[in-house]
Amino acid sequence: MSPQLLNQISFKNVGKYGVAFASAVVRHREHGFALDPLPENGVKPHDAAIVGDLRLNDFIGIVKSAGLQAEFSSGILVVNGQVLVKKAGSQLVLEGTMSPTYFKVRQLMYRQLSVF
């Protein structure tokens, strides 16, 4: 990774690892290959990538300590009777109407994960 690229990216800690999103191009150098940053006009927006492992058994405690009511129903975390948090395979799913409870639960989730 070239020094220019290292200066442009910011790492986030995910567990014991430092992770970053980089838009780069591979260039051949005298002593091998290097990743160089793309020119400004070559960088395209990307979808958010969420990294981490949110365990619902741990998350219920976080939700409750934030002053919300939470309980499990058939493996789904139900918050204030209006927001659902569940896992579908490797996907984490947040469902509910756009409400203060929905946005609070989303905020609590994002604090537990790294978003790039």
Side-chain angles (χ1 to χ4, degrees), residues 77-98:
L77 181 60
V78 181
V79 182
N80 284 358
Q82 57 188 194
V83 175
L84 307 176
V85 183
K86 61 185 176 181
K87 288 200 172 180
S90 63
Q91 297 274 330
L92 187 61
V93 180
L94 177 65
E95 294 179 355
T97 58
M98 302 295 175

Side-chain angles (χ1 to χ4, degrees), residues 20-23 43-50 115-116:
F21 188 91
S23 295
V43 177
K44 297 178 182 171
H46 63 85
D47 291 334
I50 299 173
V115 181
F116 293 89

Side-chain angles (χ1 to χ4, degrees), residues 12-69:
K12 291 186 179 186
N13 291 328
V14 178
K16 61 182 179 178
Y17 302 101
V19 179
F21 188 91
S23 295
V25 61
V26 177
R27 302 247 191 240
H28 185 267
R29 300 277 189 228
E30 184 178 322
H31 301 287
F33 294 91
L35 287 175
D36 287 333
L38 287 174
E40 287 291 323
N41 62 356
V43 177
K44 297 178 182 171
H46 63 85
D47 291 334
I50 299 173
V51 180
D53 183 28
L54 183 72
R55 294 175 35 94
L56 294 181
N57 287 332
D58 297 335
F59 189 57
I60 191 171
I62 293 166
V63 170
K64 286 181 176 180
S65 68
L68 302 170
Q69 295 178 350

